[in-house]
């Protein structure tokens, strides 16, 4: 299971290097493929989210975690060295589940369905912004759920989950959400 | 009254008013323009602030939408701007200047992507628009631009309203200021007019006073200088006003002046000016082209004054002496004109009053002669040109010498003997009579002593006292000093005071006479019958003798009035216990009449003219009977 995850991650890395050249900015300069758009959305979500004051930023970095096998892993890597809340972004591959609490943003997709329950346990009590583009996970405890609505990217927000994670989502963000629960 | 304001003064006043108003208007206009400019700048500043704040709000509210490319949400944000009165168009652009959302009112063009200049300056004012661009930043990164376009219409509307208000306020305040100033000016003007009236009008008669007279005269002369023709000046002096004032009181005097002024006004033409320039002096300025009218007017004035004036219960007769002088024929300037009229007026008075006299150069000569006489007289005392002559007085009782009257004579080294009738009035007027009188007194006293010491016996000498001398506070001292230094008893000195002088100031003179009498000096009333003696006063004066005026003696015998008056005076004086002296006896007939009338003493050329002291000594030595003594009735 773990090996498979790492293998997928490795294969994605070559892919994402190419994509990184295409995505020059998270601010969506031109029409971009779906994954790049999603990566940009992840970054934008972080911009409109406030973490509790007691949140730990070990090493002064802002950690964005993603499963090594995720298709978004490569596009998301472009966020490395960008800044969020004045901290350098580090995109981490989430191979093991022991370091979940160090994540500030966690992107999960369909490949993470099996261990979603474990992940939820791992991050319970911590302040981790969970974002998912998987329909199942997205409506089962993930704070933000990304969906394609036709050719538009839309998102839903689970305020209960955000409250549990002690995260404050900006009203600007809430206004843009398709649904807020 | 001829108190007209000059027309050009009124015109200047009106100009000044308009100029003041224009100045105030200009100042208000400038202030208004500056205030409107200030208002424009501040309104513009406020609009910029307002639009800038709105841009920021829009930017803040659309940051998320910009990031997520949410045009719908952005349009919703912009739609709110429809409630903003100024903003007519707005747009949200991405960092790449692609339009994300746009808003515009009907009939307004869309905003375009901001130019570099607009981005740099932040805003741009055109004539009727303000365009403002504001970056939308998040986390230090620019994610888009908000562009707003505001119309300046509302600003201009407000400014127009403000300007209108300013204009209304300016007009209202100008109107109020104008009214206030006009009112103040009216008050000041009426106060000035009142002051002017007080300064130029005599309060008793309502005629212009001396001050105004000078102005009028100067104006009349200036007019003659400019337009030719001539001007006559009439100086009118009431002859006996002083008596009215003294006997009936000032109140009656004032009433009389009022009545006189009214009559004078009645007989003048409207263009003539009449002023009251002194107590009983009036002046008339005639703008005539011929000299004859001056005399006509003077004759008319004398005629209208002839009728009696009713003052209270009294009927008063007033006469006047008028002097006329004409400019420029007889006088080249104002001072000479006035002086000439004055000279002519005195001449008229000298002629016996109630007359007018036109000035002629001869008059001036007379005045000059009088002046030189005065100058000479001043030196005469020092140079010893004056001498005292003595005229014998003969007693009708025993036919012998009763006394001598001391009379001053002046022998000028070049002009010869100058008549007392010529120099005594000059001495009186110039005040020289006081030192001259003092000298005569002293000389007479010394003469009495000299004759006594020469063994010629004591002789009574009478000395005349002039009006001036009676007012001299040192008189008493001078008389006693003269008597003491000559060691002559006071009873040898007799002082003669004319009836006119005595009546002039009754109270003071009664006082003086009593003091003289206390010292033992004998007193005599000179020129008796010519003044206005009241019998009551005659009793009060401590006099021992009256001298019948020579004019009555001249008329006797032959003139029934003269005879009656002389007889009456003698009888009255005797009843009052006074002795009577007749002056100017020149004929045997006069002597006879006076003897029959029981006169006491006589004096005149019939016996002897005034003589120098040496020639009088003969009388003193012989003490002969000069006339047959009175036949005493058994």
């Amino acid at each position: 299971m773990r090996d498979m995850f790492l293998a997928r991650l490795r294969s994605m890395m070559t892919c994402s290097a190419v994509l990184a050249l295409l995505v020059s900015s998270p601010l969506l300069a031109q029409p971009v493929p779906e994954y790049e758009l999603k990566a940009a959305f992840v970054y934008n979500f972080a911009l409109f989210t406030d973490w509790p004051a007691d949140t730990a930023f070990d090493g002064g970095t802002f950690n964005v975690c993603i499963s090594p096998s995720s298709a978004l892993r490569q596009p998301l890597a472009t966020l490395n060295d960008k800044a969020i809340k004045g901290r350098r972004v580090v995109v981490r591959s989430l191979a093991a589940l022991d370091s979940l609490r160090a994540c500030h943003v966690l992107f999960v997709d369909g490949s993470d369905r099996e261990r979603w329950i474990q992940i939820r346990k791992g991050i319970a009590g911590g302040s981790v912004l969970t974002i998912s583009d998987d329909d199942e996970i997205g409506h089962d405890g993930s704070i933000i759920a990304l969906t394609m609505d036709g050719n538009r990217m839309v998102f839903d927000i689970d305020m209960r989950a955000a409250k549990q994670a002690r995260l404050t989502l900006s009203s600007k963000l809430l206004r843009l959400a398709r649904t807020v629960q | 009254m001829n108190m007209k304001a000059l027309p050009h003064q009124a015109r200047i006043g009106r100009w000044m008013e308009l100029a003041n108003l224009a100045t105030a208007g200009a100042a208000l206009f400038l202030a208004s323009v500056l205030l409107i400019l200030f208002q424009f700048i501040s309104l513009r500043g406020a609009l910029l602030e307002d639009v800038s704040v709105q841009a920021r709000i829009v930017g803040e509210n659309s940051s998320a939408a910009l990031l997520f490319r949410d045009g719908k949400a952005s349009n919703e944000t912009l739609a709110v701007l429809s409630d903003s009165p100024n903003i007519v168009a707005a747009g949200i652009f991405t960092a790449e200047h692609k339009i994300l959302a746009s808003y515009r009112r009907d009939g307004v063009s869309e905003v375009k992507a901001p130019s570099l200049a607009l981005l740099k300056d932040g805003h741009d004012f055109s004539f009727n628009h303000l365009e403002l661009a504001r970056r939308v930043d998040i986390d230090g990164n620019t994610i888009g631009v908000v562009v707003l376009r505001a119309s300046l219409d509302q600003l201009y509307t407000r400014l127009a309203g403000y300007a209108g208000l300013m204009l209304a306020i300016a007009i209202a305040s100008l109107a109020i200021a104008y009214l206030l100033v006009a009112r103040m000016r009216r008050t000041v003007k009426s106060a000035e007019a009142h002051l002017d009236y007080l300064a130029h009008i005599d309060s008793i008669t309502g005629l212009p006073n001396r001050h105004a007279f000078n102005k009028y005269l100067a104006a009349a002369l200036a007019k003659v200088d400019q337009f030719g023709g001539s001007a006559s000046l009439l100086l009118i002096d009431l002859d006996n006003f002083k008596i009215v004032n003294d006997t009936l009181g000032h109140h009656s005097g004032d009433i009389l002046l009022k009545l006189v002024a009214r009559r004078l006004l009645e007989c003048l033409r409207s263009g003539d000016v009449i002023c009251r320039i002194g107590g009983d002096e009036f002046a008339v300025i005639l703008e005539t082209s011929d000299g004859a009218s001056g005399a006509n007017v003077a004759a008319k004035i004398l005629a209208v004054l002839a009728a009696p004036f009713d003052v209270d219960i009294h009927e008063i007769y007033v006469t006047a002496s008028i002097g006329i002088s004409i400019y420029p024929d007889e006088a080249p300037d104002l001072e000479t004109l006035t002086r000439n009229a004055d000279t002519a007026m005195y001449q008229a008075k000298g002629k016996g009053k109630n007359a007018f006299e036109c000035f002629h150069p001869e008059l001036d000569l007379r005045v000059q002669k009088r002046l030189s006489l005065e100058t000479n007289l001043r030196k005469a005392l020092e140079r010893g040109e004056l001498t005292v002559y003595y005229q014998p007085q003969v007693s009708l009782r025993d036919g012998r010498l009763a006394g001598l009257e001391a009379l001053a004579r002046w022998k000028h080294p070049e002009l010869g003997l100058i008549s007392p009738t010529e120099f005594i009035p000059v001495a009186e007027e110039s005040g020289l009579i006081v030192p001259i009188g003092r000298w005569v007194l002293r000389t007479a006293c010394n003469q009495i002593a000299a004759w006594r010491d020469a063994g010629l016996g004591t002789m009574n000498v009478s000395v005349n006292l002039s009006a001036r001398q009676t007012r001299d506070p040192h008189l008493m001292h001078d008389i006693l000093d003269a008597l003491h230094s000559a060691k002559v008893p006071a009873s040898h000195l007799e002082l003669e005071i004319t009836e006119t002088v005595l009546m002039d100031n009754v109270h003071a003179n009664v006082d003086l006479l009593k003091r003289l009498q206390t010292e033992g000096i004998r007193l005599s009333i000179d020129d008796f019958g010519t003044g206005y003696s009241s019998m009551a006063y005659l009793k009060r004066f401590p006099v021992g003798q009256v001298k019948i005026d020579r004019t009555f003696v001249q008329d006797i015998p032959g003139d029934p009035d003269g005879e009656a008056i002389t007889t009456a005076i003698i009888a009255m004086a005797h009843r009052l216990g006074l002795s009577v002296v007749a002056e100017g006896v020149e004929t045997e007939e006069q002597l006879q009449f006076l003897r029959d009338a029981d006169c006491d003493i006589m004096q005149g050329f019939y016996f002897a003219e005034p003589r120098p002291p040496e020639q009088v000594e003969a009388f003193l030595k012989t003490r002969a009977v000069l006339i047959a003594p009175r036949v005493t009735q058994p």
Side-chain angles (χ1 to χ4, degrees), chain B residues 561-579:
Chain B
D561 288 345
E563 286 178 10
I565 290 169
T566 312
T567 320
I569 289 175
I570 295 169
M572 180 198 69
H574 283 169
R575 278 299 180 88
L576 289 170
L578 309 173
S579 64

Side-chain angles (χ1 to χ4, degrees), chain B residues 21-230:
Chain B
L21 203 63
T23 313
L28 267 176
F29 177 74
L30 186 67
S32 302
V33 167
L34 287 175
L35 278 172
I36 289 168
L37 196 67
F38 175 76
Q39 184 71 7
F40 173 68
I41 290 169
S42 54
L43 278 177
R44 226 175 72 144
L47 179 68
L48 182 62
E49 240 169 59
D50 192 34
V51 173
S52 172
V53 166
Q54 296 196 50
R56 171 136 198 228
I57 291 169
V58 169
E60 283 294 321
N61 285 339
S62 54
S63 58
L66 261 171
L67 280 180
F68 292 103
R69 289 287 187 272
D70 195 334
K72 188 169 153 270
S74 299
N75 276 322
E76 279 168 17
T77 306
L78 290 183
V80 177
L81 292 173
S82 67
D83 276 358
S84 167
N86 294 313
I87 291 165
V88 291
I92 299 174
F93 295 85
T94 63
E96 294 78 30
H97 294 178
K98 288 232 169 65
I99 192 147
L100 181 67
S102 166
Y103 158 81
R104 65 191 177 99
R105 289 201 192 169
D106 296 339
V108 178
S109 62
E110 276 194 345
V111 290
K112 293 193 179 68
S115 65
L116 275 177
L118 183 61
L119 276 175
K120 193 165 160 259
D121 296 341
H123 67 270
D124 174 42
F125 273 104
S126 68
F127 175 69
N128 49 8
H129 285 114
L130 162 65
E131 208 153 88
L132 184 135
R134 194 182 167 90
R135 284 190 178 86
V136 183
D137 290 335
I138 193 148
D139 249 30
N141 292 311
T142 300
I143 57 169
V145 183
V146 171
V147 178
L148 296 182
R149 190 196 297 148
S151 159
L152 300 186
D153 290 353
Q154 198 194 26
L155 185 148
Y156 287 132
T157 311
R158 279 189 192 173
L159 210 58
Y162 186 73
L165 185 69
M166 288 291 300
L167 191 69
I169 289 173
I171 288 173
S173 53
L174 265 185
I176 289 169
Y178 181 78
L179 288 177
L180 282 177
V181 166
R183 196 169 148 185
M184 209 154 72
R185 201 180 291 277
R186 267 203 305 280
T187 314
V188 167
K189 215 174 241 175
S190 80
E192 274 175 353
H194 186 63
L195 283 178
D196 194 63
Y197 179 83
L198 290 182
H200 291 89
I201 295 296
D202 163 50
S203 58
I204 293 173
T205 59
L207 296 177
N209 59 15
R210 176 174 276 280
H211 182 59
F213 163 73
N214 288 333
K215 282 188 176 177
Y216 281 127
L217 190 57
L221 300 195
K223 203 170 156 191
V224 169
D225 290 341
Q226 200 176 349
F227 301 109
S230 62

Side-chain angles (χ1 to χ4, degrees), chain B residues 329-352:
Chain B
D329 301 353
E330 293 159 0
D333 53 50
L334 192 146
E335 286 72 28
T336 319
L337 182 70
T338 323
R339 198 176 61 231
N340 287 353
D342 208 43
T343 307
M345 194 262 286
Y346 275 104
Q347 188 64 24
K349 244 187 214 316
K351 265 168 55 179

Side-chain angles (χ1 to χ4, degrees), chain A residues 132-152:
Chain A
S132 173
D133 62 350
D134 183 68
D135 212 30
E136 198 176 302
I137 297 174
H139 296 99
D140 183 26
S142 171
I143 297 171
I144 297 174
L146 280 169
T147 326
M148 285 303 287
D149 184 3
N151 58 354
R152 274 188 75 223

Side-chain angles (χ1 to χ4, degrees), chain A residues 56-128:
Chain A
F57 291 97
D58 293 329
T61 57
F62 187 87
N63 301 325
V64 177
C65 303
I66 190 161
S67 157
S69 57
S70 173
L72 200 64
R73 193 184 163 287
Q74 206 60 40
L76 208 57
T78 57
L79 299 186
N80 268 320
D81 296 336
K82 285 186 178 294
I84 289 178
K85 312 283 168 200
R87 292 185 167 81
R88 193 166 53 82
V89 175
V90 173
V91 181
R92 290 171 188 271
S93 289
L94 196 65
L97 296 177
D98 49 354
S99 57
L100 270 175
R101 297 290 289 273
C103 293
H104 298 107
V105 174
L106 173 64
F107 187 86
V108 283
D109 58 12
S111 62
D112 296 311
R113 277 185 197 168
E114 293 162 20
R115 47 178 193 164
W116 173 235
I117 294 178
Q118 280 173 279
I119 292 170
R120 281 184 73 180
K121 273 182 191 154
I123 61 174
S127 297
V128 180

